[in-house]
Amino acid sequence: MGVSSLSLSGRRRLSKQARENIKGYLFISPWLLGFLLWVLGPMVASMVLSFTEWDILTPPEFVGFGNYTKLLDPNVYFLKALYNTIYITAIGVPLQVVLALFVAQFLNYRGRGVNLFRTIFYLPMVTPIVASALVWLMIFNPEFGLANTLLRLFKLPEQRWFLDPDLSKPLIIVWMLWHIGGSMVIFLGGLQSVPESLYDAAEVDGAGPVRQFFSITLPLISPVIFFVITTSIIGTFQVFTVAFITTGGGPIRSTLFYVLYLYKNAFEYLRMGFGSGLAWVLFVIILVVTLVQFKLANRWVYYEVS
Amino acid sequence: MTAETHEQDANTPLSKLQTGMFIFRLNFLPRITFLIVFSIIMSVPFWWMLSTSLKAEYQVLLFPPRWIPIPIKWQNYPDVFIKAPFVVWFGNTLLITVVSLVGTLFSASLVAYGFARIQFWGRNVLFILVLSTMMLPDVVTLIPTFILFSRLDWIDTFLPLIVPVFFGGSAFFIFLIRQYFTTIPFDLEEAAFIDGASTFTVFWRIILPLAKPVLGTVGLFSFLGNWNDFMRPMIYLNSPEKKTLAVGLRYFQSQWGTEWALMMAAATIMIVPVLIVFFFTQRFFVKGIALSGLGGR
């Protein structure tokens, strides 16, 4: 390799900084190459592709902004997919955050069983999504599922669950709520970093547990809450596997989420150009949502200055 | 917990201790009750999966359902291997997971060392670039990457799943390892450099052995990510003998009806290795998640 022969023959002539540069770039070269090959290159390529119509089999055809103007056409279901995704994000993420924080409060004690409970609550996070989605499909089967059995036991009307367009999205949210383990562990870490002396002082001043939670706990863990909300939103925007397995996007497109819609366009209908356009729009949406969150964070996230 | 009681006797250390115990006792019962009830609710899907995996197909449809099937049909487990090429899928998944694990650990720690220890030109800008790619959704690059792999004739091979891993693993792993490296004191390296060791030797012999905890965390994330991955294997692997477990699980789900008991047995078989790994490495794991904030998704 050119670089190594250079460093052998010219070692004495090279300045210390030049040697550091060569070494540094050698060490990070896997990432640098990977960034060009699997990130920057594909992003530029998908930008170019998004201005074409291409089914892989025949040569691509330039269509200008055609793929982007098509998005607003009611027949292409882009808005439907976007609405579905925003629906589960707007309802699912707040519920997830509140429930995870609530459970973390209960888990925040020293003593027997903490590890066991923490493990049980975390298990859904390590379970393959395909497996858990299939279990979900079985539990909510309208004919013999556990859910309807329970309803029958309490003499309540049975439901069609995943086959009912009004229930399919809420069921996906319930499935999301089953996955609070990740956020919960992060919250637990945050709760444990709050100095106990603050609570002691608050007690001396006569503050009750609710007051303590809102005046001490919440502001002190606000950076953690911010982190969890940001990453959860990015994650929920990319929901794919659970819908792919349980409903395939149905019934009547009620669970057609953004990435599922993108996948279908690209790999089922072979619309590579339109799919690339969708990918770019998703990228911009996530970028904007994240930037807005960082902007808003100044108002409510409390960073300790030491 | 009532505020009044604390106010009265929070002045002396002794009474403070007593209030502490008081709070503990008052809280203990509702706390433990909530945790037990909640963990039962959370684990229902697991129990139901296990229970179904031991039923005959007709028992799956029975009303009222039984938690413990009579008779217990152990035969479902061997049947999974007989009726589907499950051994092959298991092997494929294991191969992809292990190779990815090695590739990730090696390349991510190499890159992390560069960012943590070497003062090269442009380091900070490039590291910010690493961090910003963490937020990039995978699907943005999916289509061109797929086209690239199909041009290379890599479709229906494991290469699209394995090769990219050797280029730094993922930004998130680089970030985690780099953060850990910066906490290791310089003294050890300096001594080795004075003895004439090369940078790579120092990285390999001194830094890596000290970084075992973070390598454990990253290894686990990598293992889980690849073992559970669904979308990429589905896109890249077509022929039945190339499938992974995650894709193969759907084998028992067909248009003409689903063999629920067999599918649940298969799902159990797929989850067990994950559970074993998780139980033995939990401590690493929780630390890593707390450090990073991300779990398997």
Side-chain angles (χ1 to χ4, degrees), chain B residues 221-242:
Chain B
F221 279 129
S222 160
F223 169 81
L224 286 175
N226 287 297
W227 188 268
N228 297 346
D229 192 15
F230 177 72
M231 199 206 239
R232 289 180 317 136
M234 181 180 62
I235 290 173
Y236 292 122
L237 307 173
N238 305 324
S239 44
E241 74 278 3
K242 290 280 169 59

Side-chain angles (χ1 to χ4, degrees), chain A residues 5-82:
Chain A
S5 62
L6 183 78
S7 59
L8 278 177
S9 62
R11 176 162 280 174
R12 262 177 224 149
R13 267 174 289 138
L14 284 172
S15 70
K16 191 168 179 282
Q17 185 54 50
R19 261 185 285 146
E20 286 285 293
N21 287 345
I22 292 168
K23 250 193 305 190
Y25 280 95
L26 275 177
F27 268 92
I28 68 158
S29 57
W31 171 78
L32 209 55
L33 264 172
F35 178 74
L36 297 175
L37 274 172
W38 320 120
V39 180
L40 198 63
M43 280 187 79
V44 172
S46 84
M47 174 63 103
V48 173
L49 276 179
S50 76
F51 296 111
T52 68
E53 240 165 50
W54 190 29
D55 60 0
I56 300 189
L57 312 166
T58 54
E61 194 183 317
F62 182 76
V63 292
F65 282 94
N67 286 324
Y68 292 100
T69 49
K70 205 159 76 180
L71 294 177
L72 298 172
D73 184 336
N75 293 323
V76 301
Y77 305 114
F78 162 77
L79 290 174
K80 180 77 181 162
L82 190 62

Side-chain angles (χ1 to χ4, degrees), chain A residues 21 23 25 106 119 178 186, chain B residues 31 42 121 199 282 292-293:
Chain A
N21 287 345
K23 250 193 305 190
Y25 280 95
F106 277 89
T119 309
W178 192 53
I186 303 167
Chain B
R31 189 192 287 272
M42 289 288 275
W121 183 84
T199 313
Q282 225 208 106
S292 65

Side-chain angles (χ1 to χ4, degrees), chain B:
Chain B
M1 228 171 32
T2 55
E4 290 87 340
T5 32
H6 305 158
E7 253 181 323
Q8 284 164 4
D9 47 22
N11 300 320
T12 64
L14 182 68
S15 62
K16 196 168 180 183
L17 186 73
Q18 284 164 343
T19 27
M21 300 210 1
F22 179 63
I23 296 165
F24 178 74
R25 284 211 186 118
L26 208 82
N27 262 337
F28 188 71
L29 206 64
R31 189 192 287 272
I32 228 67
T33 314
F34 171 83
L35 288 174
I36 289 174
V37 170
F38 195 69
S39 38
I40 291 171
I41 295 172
M42 289 288 275
S43 49
V44 161
F46 289 112
W47 294 121
W48 196 241
M49 175 185 79
L50 201 63
S51 158
T52 307
S53 77
L54 296 170
K55 288 175 180 173
E57 287 301 331
Y58 76 91
Q59 288 174 306
V60 175
L61 308 171
L62 282 186
F63 181 85
R66 283 179 170 280
W67 283 94
I68 299 168
I70 304 172
I72 292 180
K73 198 184 170 197
W74 298 105
Q75 185 58 32
N76 283 339
Y77 283 85
D79 275 354
V80 166
F81 291 94
I82 296 165
K83 290 197 177 178
F86 222 68
V87 181
V88 179
W89 297 340
F90 205 98
N92 291 345
T93 314
L94 200 65
L95 179 74
I96 293 169
T97 306
V98 169
V99 175
S100 301
L101 183 77
V102 174
T104 296
L105 286 181
F106 179 71
S107 66
S109 55
L110 201 65
V111 174
Y113 184 83
F115 279 119
R117 281 295 202 258
I118 302 170
Q119 297 282 347
F120 59 91
W121 183 84
R123 182 175 80 159
N124 293 341
V125 177
L126 287 176
F127 192 62
I128 289 170
L129 202 57
V130 173
L131 295 184
S132 49
T133 57
M134 275 166 57
M135 287 186 193
L136 183 77
D138 291 340
V139 285
V140 174
T141 55
L142 186 68
I143 293 172
T145 316
F146 172 82
I147 292 164
L148 174 69
F149 289 140
S150 59
R151 285 289 136 91
L152 289 170
D153 232 354
W154 284 6
I155 302 296
D156 212 24
T157 70
F158 298 148
L159 293 173
L161 303 173
I162 290 172
V163 171
V165 166
F166 285 83
F167 294 85
S170 81
F172 171 55
F173 295 152
I174 295 171
F175 168 73
L176 269 189
I177 302 174
R178 186 257 179 197
Q179 295 308 93
Y180 194 89
F181 281 171
T182 53
T183 64
I184 299 173
F186 273 107
D187 318 7
L188 293 163
E189 282 163 278
E190 265 166 28
F193 279 129
I194 290 166
D195 290 345
S198 74
T199 313
F200 187 81
T201 312
V202 168
F203 159 73
W204 192 251
R205 291 271 166 81
I206 296 174
I207 298 292
L208 272 194
L210 288 172
K212 271 181 198 145
V214 75
L215 296 180
T217 309
V218 167
L220 275 162
F221 279 129
S222 160
F223 169 81
L224 286 175
N226 287 297
W227 188 268
N228 297 346
D229 192 15
F230 177 72
M231 199 206 239
R232 289 180 317 136
M234 181 180 62
I235 290 173
Y236 292 122
L237 307 173
N238 305 324
S239 44
E241 74 278 3
K242 290 280 169 59
K243 282 183 179 171
T244 63
L245 284 178
V247 180
L249 265 191
R250 296 180 74 220
Y251 182 87
F252 300 106
Q253 184 193 29
S254 75
Q255 272 178 298
W256 302 277
T258 303
E259 291 175 275
W260 290 102
L262 282 182
M263 190 159 72
M264 289 302 118
T268 310
I269 295 169
M270 184 181 179
I271 292 177
V272 164
V274 176
L275 294 190
I276 292 172
V277 170
F278 181 65
F279 274 116
F280 283 105
T281 48
Q282 225 208 106
R283 208 180 289 166
F284 273 148
F285 210 81
V286 171
K287 209 188 262 175
I289 299 153
L291 209 86
S292 65
L294 291 168
R297 195 167 258 139

